[in-house]
Amino acid sequence: MGKKKETFEPLHAIGLFWIFFGIIISVGIFVSKTGLGKATNGICGAILFFSGVGAFLKGTYNKRKSPKG
């Protein structure tokens, strides 16, 4: 009776994917031979990683805010 049905929050899945993808791109820093390549991989990896963290946290906020979650 008191069980709440778990709702799917798509921002969790998107956030986890972006975090994972950002880590993979950041590992590319060690593979790149040029300084520009290392900087590009680092910046793009950081943008994806922090966007993923933001999306995941926004999904958590939405889930807590909803009356079902």
Side-chain angles (χ1 to χ4, degrees), residues 26-39:
S26 295
V27 169
I29 292 171
F30 304 110
V31 178
S32 181
K33 304 239 188 294
T34 64
L36 180 63
K38 290 180 181 189

Side-chain angles (χ1 to χ4, degrees), residues 5-16:
K5 185 176 179 183
E6 196 67 29
T7 58
F8 175 71
E9 182 58 50
L11 283 175
H12 279 160
I14 292 169
L16 288 176

Side-chain angles (χ1 to χ4, degrees), residues 20-55:
F20 178 70
F21 200 61
I23 291 171
I24 289 174
I25 291 177
S26 295
V27 169
I29 292 171
F30 304 110
V31 178
S32 181
K33 304 239 188 294
T34 64
L36 180 63
K38 290 180 181 189
T40 303
N41 285 339
I43 292 169
C44 293
I47 288 171
L48 280 169
F49 180 80
F50 289 116
S51 296
V53 169

